[in-house]
Amino acid sequence: MSHAEHAAHFRRLHAQGVLRIANAWDAGSARLIESLGAPAIATTSAGVAWSRGYADGDQLPVEQLFAVAAEIARVVRVPLSMDVEGGYSDDPDTVASHVVRLAEFGVVGINLEDGAAEAQLLAAKIARIKRALTARGLDVYINARTDVYLRGLAPPERRVEAVLERAALYRDAGADGLFVPGLTEADAIRAIASGTPLPLNVMLRPALPPLAELEALGVRRLSAGSDLAEAVFAHVGTLASAFLQDGRAGDAPRGNYGQINALFKR
């Protein structure tokens, strides 16, 4: 598919049902997830940072982000979205240039977060990104992430209202979707989903309602976040620890070399 076709397809994936995103962190994990039938690939900033030897939280050099995008785009054929944290700059024009470069690698979606900064800063970044993309005939789905719940940026009784205020601001700036990590309570999910036209994305948490209920509540995207990357690090840690202690890797399930290698033989 062309960039435009991938972009249009990625948008359609948010139109009905719940798009399940099993977040990848490098070309290998992305290709594996794609092979399991994922209709799109999106990254986790934490996993990407860890895999490149950096801490999460805007610590990744942006050239490393570009390298990961190029590596994943080389091996997958489904739409690719990248978690760009806060855009790796407080300057909206710089963030816009980063996103344009990602789009030139084939990226058709981004997650861009407000974090602890003022909401107006994220709105300014979104507006500049849209302007820069339009000038070049490129299309990128901007999933605006608000950390109202994740960071407790408003009192519990005001969090729904605060999210919807930010959603309206980000939509006016040109956002295409709304990501609210930390949101788990059914009534709040329903209120937010019905209170904004932006497709709602939530992040996997133990307290989250089941998939069918999420769809009924109005959720259009469910992300694993850093859970898969965390699990892989924990699993490798367990195996490596056992091996270092007694020269064995324990009884944990193992992959098949031939099957894994075959994922990359095309």
Side-chain angles (χ1 to χ4, degrees):
M1 290 187 187
S2 67
H3 183 277
E5 289 170 329
H6 264 170
H9 179 55
F10 191 58
R11 290 182 180 280
R12 287 194 297 271
L13 291 173
H14 294 81
Q16 59 184 3
V18 180
L19 172 61
R20 278 152 280 177
I21 295 291
N23 299 78
W25 55 91
D26 60 11
S29 60
R31 177 67 190 103
L32 173 61
I33 291 166
E34 180 193 42
S35 76
L36 299 173
I41 295 295
T43 61
T44 158
S45 67
V48 169
W50 299 336
S51 73
R52 311 299 281 199
Y54 293 89
D56 190 26
D58 287 293
Q59 300 299 303
L60 184 76
V62 73
E63 292 297 330
Q64 295 279 344
L65 179 75
F66 299 146
V68 173
E71 290 162 4
I72 295 177
R74 182 181 65 82
V75 300
V76 302
R77 298 294 178 268
V78 296
L80 171 60
S81 180
M82 297 291 295
D83 183 346
V84 301
E85 303 191 68
Y88 303 100
S89 176
D90 287 334
D91 175 48
D93 287 326
T94 300
V95 175
S97 70
H98 291 164
V99 176
V100 166
R101 188 166 176 191
L102 288 172
E104 290 170 346
F105 286 124
V107 172
V108 296
I110 61 165
N111 274 20
L112 186 66
E113 66 195 51
D114 52 21
E118 292 294 324
Q120 287 78 7
L121 178 58
L122 180 55
K125 292 177 182 180
I126 293 168
R128 300 290 177 85
I129 291 168
K130 281 293 185 181
R131 188 185 311 162
L133 291 169
T134 299
R136 293 162 178 79
L138 296 168
D139 183 18
V140 171
Y141 183 101
I142 300 178
N143 202 28
R145 169 179 146 171
T146 179
D147 284 354
V148 168
Y149 276 83
L150 199 62
R151 293 174 180 254
L153 300 181
E157 67 275 10
R158 277 209 71 249
R159 285 179 188 167
V160 168
E161 181 183 0
V163 166
L164 291 176
E165 288 171 355
R166 291 182 182 227
L169 182 64
Y170 300 155
R171 178 175 179 252
D172 288 346
D176 302 290
L178 177 68
F179 184 26
V180 191
L183 174 64
T184 60
E185 198 268 321
D187 287 343
I189 292 172
R190 182 186 294 108
I192 292 171
S194 63
T196 176
L198 297 175
L200 177 60
N201 181 185
V202 297
M203 187 165 68
L204 187 63
R205 283 292 182 268
L208 207 62
L211 187 64
E213 185 178 348
L214 288 176
E215 182 174 357
L217 291 170
V219 172
R220 290 293 168 262
R221 179 164 159 180
L222 172 63
S223 299
S226 62
D227 276 17
L228 300 182
E230 290 178 41
V232 168
F233 269 78
H235 184 62
V236 171
T238 298
L239 295 179
S241 178
F243 175 78
L244 291 170
Q245 288 177 25
D246 60 16
R248 297 180 181 274
D251 298 323
R254 287 167 176 74
N256 180 286
Y257 173 90
Q259 291 176 353
I260 296 170
N261 203 47
L263 292 174
F264 308 99
K265 285 185 174 179
R266 61 177 185 180

